[in-house]
Amino acid sequence: MEEERKVREVLESRLKEKGYTLEGVRYYLSKEGPKLELVVDRDDPISLDDIVALSDFISPILDENDPIAGAYTLDISSLGAEKPIALEKLANYDGRYVHLHLSHPVQGENILEGTLKVVDEETLGLTFFIKGRKKDVTFPKKDVDSARLAIKF
């Protein structure tokens, strides 16, 4: 859609300067009227205060550049507390609680949730609990199929 392309052109570099990436742009007609939804991300957690600050930052840029004719509601969100992590960015999440799906099981498990402890070019280390016991494991980074942040209970 043309409006979405224009919004992306206007915002991507400006958000990048603030440390964010624009993950999604969606413009559509809802029951309440036209709506522009933006999904943003960054390596650090995004709080509600961050979303409010981003709204205050983005609104004047959109007003000035006017990529969408007419009035609309702006909705900004993040990928969420359990957002996917690109495998090449795992090093940015050292010390964070993650969910990993492995192609080759580690200690009989191919799904691990724990704290990422070691990240280098070829190896990952994770501290996790299995059957109530704390385990520290190291395994090849290439064995990770997918990764996301996880919520520790």
Side-chain angles (χ1 to χ4, degrees):
M1 196 175 220
E2 186 65 17
E3 292 89 356
E4 293 168 354
R5 184 191 60 74
K6 288 179 182 178
V7 167
R8 195 172 282 282
E9 283 178 4
V10 167
L11 292 178
E12 273 186 324
S13 63
R14 300 290 297 272
L15 286 170
K16 189 172 186 160
E17 291 170 8
K18 293 196 85 51
Y20 291 89
T21 57
L22 184 58
E23 295 292 325
V25 176
R26 183 172 172 229
Y27 178 70
Y28 64 98
L29 186 59
S30 72
K31 292 178 187 176
E32 295 83 28
K35 192 171 198 175
L36 175 61
E37 291 180 349
L38 304 177
V39 179
V40 296
D41 190 29
R42 69 176 180 193
D43 292 339
D44 294 328
I46 299 175
S47 69
L48 187 55
D49 289 339
D50 295 325
I51 295 291
V52 170
L54 270 177
S55 180
D56 292 343
F57 174 74
I58 289 171
S59 289
I61 295 170
L62 292 174
D63 289 345
E64 179 182 316
N65 290 279
D66 204 22
I68 298 174
Y72 56 89
T73 301
L74 176 62
D75 182 18
I76 302 172
S77 63
S78 72
L79 289 176
E82 292 190 332
K83 71 177 183 174
I85 303 170
L87 299 180
E88 64 272 8
K89 288 188 162 194
L90 275 171
N92 298 345
Y93 296 89
D94 193 11
R96 304 278 297 277
Y97 196 75
V98 297
H99 173 101
L100 303 176
H101 185 273
L102 307 175
S103 59
H104 296 88
V106 172
Q107 296 191 5
E109 301 290 327
N110 68 341
I111 296 177
L112 300 175
E113 279 194 5
T115 304
L116 201 53
K117 294 291 186 183
V118 177
V119 181
D120 62 35
E121 289 297 315
E122 297 181 12
T123 309
L124 292 180
L126 191 73
T127 299
F128 69 103
F129 287 86
I130 186 165
K131 296 181 183 176
R133 300 181 102 166
K134 183 178 176 181
K135 301 279 186 175
D136 290 309
V137 295
T138 305
F139 51 91
K141 193 175 182 178
K142 66 178 178 55
D143 288 351
V144 178
D145 285 333
S146 63
R148 66 172 170 78
L149 288 177
I151 297 172
K152 187 176 183 178
F153 290 99

